[in-house]
Amino acid sequence: MAASVHGQQQQCRLRDSLAAELRSQVTPDALVLLPFSAAYRRDIVLRSTNFQSYPQVIVHPAKVKDVVAAVRFAAKNNLTVSVKGTGHDYNGRCSADGSLNINTRLLNDVFFVVRQNKTFFGAGATFGDIIKPAVLKHGRAIVSGHDLTVGPGGCLLGGCHGALARLHGLGADNVQSIVLVTPTGQLVKASSRGVHQMNTLPNGDLDFKEGKQITPDTSLFWALRGGGGGSLGVVVQFGMQLVPAPTAVQTVTVTWLLYDSQGKQIRDIFDIFVFNASFWQALGPRWAAWSVGSVPRNCSAPLGISTGTASSCAGQAALSFVYVGDDPLAVDKTPGIRAILNYRAPWVSDMTYYSTKTSYRSYYDFMYHNADTSNYQRQFVSNVFLSPQDMNPSATGRLFTALETMQRVAAVPLAGPDSFETLGFVASLVGGGAVPAHPEAAKTSISRAFRTFAAELVLTAGGKDPNWDLRAYQAVSDAIAPLYKLYPGSYQNEVSSAEGFNRVPDWQARFWGDNVARLLAVKRQYDPQGRMVVPYGLGWSQQGQ
């Protein structure tokens, strides 16, 4: 018996007779894992290792036919269903206690129709599986997240932003079709042409030929593109628009090492170059950026740059710009980039400031060298969206107040092994440009706050020692609470919640805005029994924990 971090439900093992029945209904290459086995114990570990759930059984489908069989088995035996791709979700939503968990990792085929600028890929593929051949073989790319190890399922179904979003819209905007098994066990394709019946080939793979139209209504396709992963069925394949791969990818990173005497003076940098809508509008859609800050330990610097002493270290802040275009001289030609490279405040010295410029051979090379390949760790995060109107000095002040709260609540020592590996923030400056203006914008269930955001501000804490979990949870919870009151929107894919911590207020409106009522109507239509279980997902408030 074991309890989940999300609630009080405990799980038990699927009966042997039912497990044997399930095994008889899937193909020989499919895996059926039961609790207490070594394979099961390995499989329930998620990227955020502090979130762990205990399904009654885990199925790794080898064929699309296996997904259909598993969902129908769950319906017959009154089991809830959860869906896992690569397990990156910060809130452990890809698994659920007592459920039949479907792990799509083996469904990872990737196909390209280059003449039509389309790609089709299984829900178990990673962005690396897709982007590497797209760029290196075909000179194309897709709008994805910033990490090649992430799978497309949760990202694309929740919105998905990255370096190409300002140029080509969100990842969800570029999804053209979604093949899924509904909670009642139907294999269908949802697209702008409605919902069509789909079939499998004799070997169990997906037959690409569409069957009859079930309905011309596009509500399911609308709901899938923004409603979040795992709530409306088990996705087995995405069809997505290919975009030209940029040929001149460059990054510029400016880092400030913060000491006690300069820690507060960094705010003028944020006022000018981070929380400044005019600066971003002038920079143009081929530029994106991520600002990262940590308190209080991380004072690493390149060889030859003094980092002071641990006792005086107040952390570091960095701003990384990414150019995705075709001009190899873009860094030198862009006034905003020149301005930040040439910026000097009285307190800036060689000891507290350094910059790096990097040119990549291809877009894949850029993604590869910036992928998060760190070991799994215990993470707790939450976020708010900032609109262009919110990008002002008040936002800077609120960020630093939040960081001070995190440092105080966490009571982290400045050095030593018993400390957080992560305590700070990430500001994803990838809004604007094509994100609000994409032709598909009104045809998705992306919230207005997400659609019109200029920056996503994420607070994060974590490490590898479970003894620090409660401090991490409390630090993020206390720091984000005042920001919730000021900024009404958040990105559903980057929110953590544990029992008693960060109980996100008005979470449905926060994630989906005015789309909540229609989304819940689609949920009731396609999942009338509440079969699909996702904490903080569609219908979760009705199901409870």
Side-chain angles (χ1 to χ4, degrees):
M1 303 290 286
S4 163
V5 72
H6 282 298
Q8 299 125 5
Q9 183 179 12
Q10 293 184 326
Q11 64 89 38
C12 58
R13 186 178 184 273
L14 194 70
R15 293 201 310 270
D16 288 341
S17 60
L18 289 177
E21 179 184 341
L22 176 58
R23 284 195 176 99
S24 72
Q25 294 175 1
V26 297
T27 60
D29 291 332
L31 302 177
V32 177
L33 310 179
L34 295 174
F36 315 118
S37 68
Y40 177 96
R41 289 195 294 270
R42 288 192 299 269
D43 211 69
I44 62 174
V45 177
L46 306 178
R47 187 64 175 264
S48 293
T49 55
N50 48 316
F51 290 99
Q52 196 166 80
S53 298
Y54 299 87
Q56 290 198 49
V57 60
I58 299 172
V59 180
H60 284 245
K63 304 286 186 179
V64 171
K65 177 183 177 181
D66 298 328
V67 181
V68 176
V71 173
R72 290 178 178 175
F73 174 87
K76 175 185 174 183
N77 293 283
N78 198 30
L79 296 174
T80 55
V81 176
S82 58
V83 187
K84 179 182 177 183
T86 56
H88 280 73
D89 189 81
Y90 287 107
N91 207 20
R93 298 178 304 168
C94 50
S95 185
D97 290 324
S99 67
L100 184 154
N101 182 245
I102 297 177
N103 187 318
T104 62
R105 193 66 186 92
L106 297 177
L107 304 177
N108 54 18
D109 289 336
V110 181
F111 306 94
F112 296 95
V113 186
V114 179
R115 290 183 179 180
Q116 299 178 23
N117 281 319
K118 294 180 180 180
T119 178
F120 299 90
F121 46 87
T126 65
F127 283 129
D129 295 333
I130 305 160
I131 292 174
K132 183 176 182 179
V135 173
L136 300 184
K137 292 184 179 180
H138 306 297
R140 306 292 198 276
I142 61 169
V143 179
S144 70
H146 196 55
D147 185 340
L148 289 177
T149 67
V150 171
C155 192
L156 294 177
L157 296 173
C160 206
H161 58 60
L164 294 175
R166 301 184 80 224
L167 191 59
H168 296 293
L170 297 173
D173 297 330
N174 291 271
V175 172
Q176 297 179 324
S177 63
I178 298 174
V179 179
L180 71 155
V181 180
T182 68
T184 57
Q186 273 191 303
L187 181 63
V188 302
K189 176 191 283 187
S191 71
S192 60
R193 297 180 296 105
V195 180
H196 287 75
Q197 182 68 48
M198 299 295 287
N199 298 291
T200 56
L201 298 168
N203 68 353
D205 287 332
L206 178 68
D207 185 348
F208 273 58
K209 183 179 179 181
E210 285 184 359
K212 67 178 182 179
Q213 186 182 65
I214 298 173
T215 175
D217 183 20
T218 58
S219 293
L220 179 59
F221 189 49
W222 170 86
L224 285 166
R225 295 196 297 171
S231 291
L232 296 168
V234 183
V235 174
V236 296
Q237 186 195 75
F238 290 92
M240 198 168 180
Q241 176 79 33
L242 291 169
V243 300
T247 59
V249 182
Q250 301 166 65
T251 61
V252 178
T253 300
V254 182
T255 304
W256 298 271
L257 306 179
L258 309 181
Y259 297 87
D260 292 343
S261 61
Q262 294 115 1
K264 296 184 183 301
Q265 293 171 305
I266 191 71
R267 298 184 186 206
D268 59 353
I269 297 288
F270 282 77
D271 289 346
I272 299 171
F273 298 112
V274 180
F275 299 121
N276 183 340
S278 298
F279 173 80
W280 286 101
Q281 290 169 355
L283 207 56
R286 292 189 178 275
W287 287 95
W290 283 264
S291 180
V292 180
S294 62
V295 293
R297 290 181 58 237
N298 192 351
C299 284
S300 59
L303 187 66
I305 302 293
S306 170
T307 60
T309 62
S311 61
S312 67
C313 174
Q316 75 174 17
L319 184 56
S320 296
F321 293 88
V322 180
Y323 171 79
V324 285
D326 303 310
D327 186 352
L329 301 177
V331 170
D332 299 322
K333 291 181 178 179
T334 305
I337 302 301
R338 292 203 308 269
I340 195 169
L341 289 174
N342 295 328
Y343 182 83
R344 294 293 184 275
W347 55 271
V348 172
S349 68
D350 290 340
M351 185 178 70
T352 60
Y353 165 90
Y354 64 90
S355 64
T356 57
K357 290 189 278 187
T358 307
S359 295
Y360 294 93
R361 293 173 297 175
S362 70
Y363 182 68
Y364 171 75
D365 193 36
F366 155 72
M367 292 288 286
Y368 176 82
H369 284 91
N370 287 277
D372 180 8
T373 57
S374 59
N375 292 327
Y376 287 20
Q377 66 173 1
R378 315 178 73 81
Q379 293 177 291
F380 200 81
V381 306
S382 199
N383 73 88
V384 291
F385 286 131
L386 275 64
S387 70
Q389 293 73 30
D390 297 323
M391 301 282 277
N392 54 50
S394 294
T396 302
R398 291 162 183 160
L399 167 60
F400 278 82
T401 298
L403 295 177
E404 290 165 2
T405 298
M406 293 176 70
Q407 183 173 351
R408 183 184 69 254
V409 173
V412 183
L414 293 181
D418 296 326
S419 185
F420 290 96
E421 304 216 356
T422 304
L423 184 69
F425 75 94
V426 178
S428 297
L429 298 149
V430 293
V435 174
H438 196 279
E440 293 291 306
K443 303 173 186 177
T444 72
S445 50
I446 304 293
S447 72
R448 177 174 174 79
F450 194 169
R451 185 62 68 183
T452 59
F453 86 115
E456 180 203 358
L457 178 59
V458 181
L459 302 183
T460 176
K464 294 181 180 178
D465 186 348
N467 293 319
W468 288 81
D469 281 355
L470 295 184
R471 290 196 194 184
Y473 298 171
Q474 195 70 61
V476 173
S477 299
D478 288 4
I480 199 70
L483 300 181
Y484 281 154
K485 296 177 180 178
L486 294 166
Y487 307 112
S490 296
Y491 187 23
Q492 59 181 304
N493 284 354
E494 295 178 349
V495 172
S496 302
S497 180
E499 189 70 18
F501 297 98
N502 194 32
R503 310 303 285 179
V504 185
D506 300 323
W507 58 274
Q508 294 183 101
R510 175 165 290 280
F511 294 159
W512 300 298
D514 296 337
N515 296 323
V516 171
R518 186 182 175 191
L519 280 167
L520 292 177
V522 176
K523 170 72 172 177
R524 289 190 294 270
Q525 178 183 355
Y526 285 93
D527 188 13
Q529 301 300 318
R531 186 79 50 206
M532 308 299 300
V533 178
V534 181
Y536 285 98
L538 292 177
W540 185 68
S541 60
Q542 283 80 15
Q543 295 165 355
Q545 295 186 52

